Amino acid sequence: MSNEETTWDEMVEQCSELGLLAKKLYVVFTTPVDGLGPIMEVLDEHLAYQNKIQNEGVMFAAGPFSNDTETKWEGDGMVIIRADSMAAARSIADNDPMHKAGARTYHIRPWLLNEGKLTIDLKFSNKTMGID
């Protein structure tokens, strides 16, 4: 099967057959529309929404991007969400106060999480935890 002939569903199936995680997620790339001013105006509402969808188990991860020289933040960000379809992912992104207010625009890409490692270091003796 050549790459040009592989459908997304075939890719998911192939990865699953290879024993990879094959977890379907959606990545929302957000971009400022008119600088940081409008973003800062709705930041608290945006963070409250992020916490809500995190607590509901919808949000897998999120955070801002640096510029290419790692010297400043220009307002770009990324949110990885769990959804059953692109339409559901769009609905979740549409409800973000950043997008509702027009402070950011977004585009979504389906993503297949196949490899990686999450390390949780839990110490009972001193009641500490770390994530790598």
Side-chain angles (χ1 to χ4, degrees):
M1 171 175 4
S2 75
N3 288 342
E4 288 129 350
E5 298 173 10
T6 302
T7 68
W8 184 245
D9 288 339
E10 289 170 336
M11 173 57 72
V12 173
E13 184 179 333
Q14 183 180 32
C15 290
S16 183
E17 288 171 358
L18 288 170
L20 302 173
L21 181 59
K23 175 68 177 165
K24 292 193 280 186
L25 299 165
Y26 293 86
V27 182
V28 181
F29 297 94
T30 67
T31 306
V33 172
D34 191 25
L36 292 178
I39 288 172
M40 300 313 289
E41 290 175 13
V42 292
L43 186 60
D44 289 343
E45 295 170 60
H46 164 73
L47 294 175
Y49 181 71
Q50 296 289 77
N51 280 322
K52 175 183 175 291
I53 64 174
Q54 169 189 268
N55 293 339
E56 293 171 348
V58 171
M59 185 172 66
F60 176 77
F65 286 116
S66 171
N67 65 353
D68 292 344
T69 59
E70 298 182 89
T71 57
K72 64 182 177 176
W73 176 61
E74 297 170 338
D76 293 330
M78 181 177 81
V79 183
I80 303 172
I81 55 178
R82 298 172 181 97
D84 294 330
S85 66
M86 180 63 87
R90 250 188 227 103
S91 177
I92 293 162
D94 284 343
N95 283 308
D96 185 322
M98 286 289 176
H99 305 140
K100 279 183 162 181
R104 286 184 175 157
T105 187
Y106 70 87
H107 73 275
I108 301 176
R109 297 283 310 264
W111 179 52
L112 198 58
L113 175 57
N114 279 334
E115 306 96 3
K117 180 180 178 181
L118 174 66
T119 303
I120 299 174
D121 181 18
L122 180 62
K123 293 184 179 78
F124 298 116
S125 61
N126 62 3
K127 300 177 191 171
T128 61
M129 182 180 74
I131 299 175
D132 290 328

